[in-house]
Amino acid sequence: MKTCRLFNIFPSVLAFTAILLLSITKSVMAETVTINPDFQPDPMVLNGKSGGPKSSDCGKIAATPNQIIQVTKPLPYLKLAVTGNGKPTLLIEGPGGRFCVLPDNYSGDKPEISGFWQAGKYLLYVGELVDGEHTYTLSISKQKN
């Protein structure tokens, strides 16, 4: 009799565990975006939540990247710009090193970086200089305007 009860409970526990693992995996894994020389649309626009529990030299960031971009071939010019409700920052870890982009008056108080990008994988953390998490928009463009 006890064995029957165990077999009745086991499928429910297994299903709950699978759902929990899928939701954890989805929240930990960042979206990977492929950037090639003729990517479309231009600008490419991505959205998410900035900030997180981890203190860094680039504000408060999440434990895992918000976005991952894979640049397939060297690009003579690429611009990344972040806008958000808080005070967003942009931490980039890639083949050329680690860069923190802070908001400034020149860029209209939004973190923005442009120039030559070599091929490779770039981990992007959208941080916050103020407490809390805020929505952000990341724009990726090869236009120089």
Side-chain angles (χ1 to χ4, degrees), residues 42-108:
D42 187 2
M44 182 180 296
V45 177
L46 306 170
N47 298 296
K49 293 263 187 212
S50 63
K54 188 175 172 184
S55 291
S56 77
D57 55 351
C58 204
K60 295 278 196 166
I61 61 170
T64 58
N66 298 83
Q67 306 289 158
I68 299 172
I69 60 173
Q70 181 70 45
V71 177
T72 60
K73 293 182 181 178
L75 297 171
Y77 183 85
L78 189 69
K79 178 170 82 173
L80 272 62
V82 179
T83 57
N85 296 332
K87 274 276 217 201
T89 64
L90 181 60
L91 176 62
I92 303 168
E93 294 179 350
R98 186 172 194 243
F99 304 94
C100 176
V101 186
L102 297 171
D104 59 23
N105 291 337
Y106 179 75
S107 63

Side-chain angles (χ1 to χ4, degrees), residues 31 33-35 39-48 66-67 69 78-84 124 135-143:
E31 176 185 1
V33 176
T34 301
I35 303 291
F39 75 89
Q40 290 295 324
D42 187 2
M44 182 180 296
V45 177
L46 306 170
N47 298 296
N66 298 83
Q67 306 289 158
I69 60 173
L78 189 69
K79 178 170 82 173
L80 272 62
V82 179
T83 57
L124 307 179
T135 57
Y136 73 82
T137 299
L138 170 67
S139 174
I140 304 172
S141 179
K142 58 185 183 251
Q143 300 173 24

Side-chain angles (χ1 to χ4, degrees), residues 119-131:
K121 183 184 207 176
Y122 294 84
L123 307 178
L124 307 179
Y125 297 83
V126 181
E128 269 300 331
L129 293 177
V130 297
D131 288 335

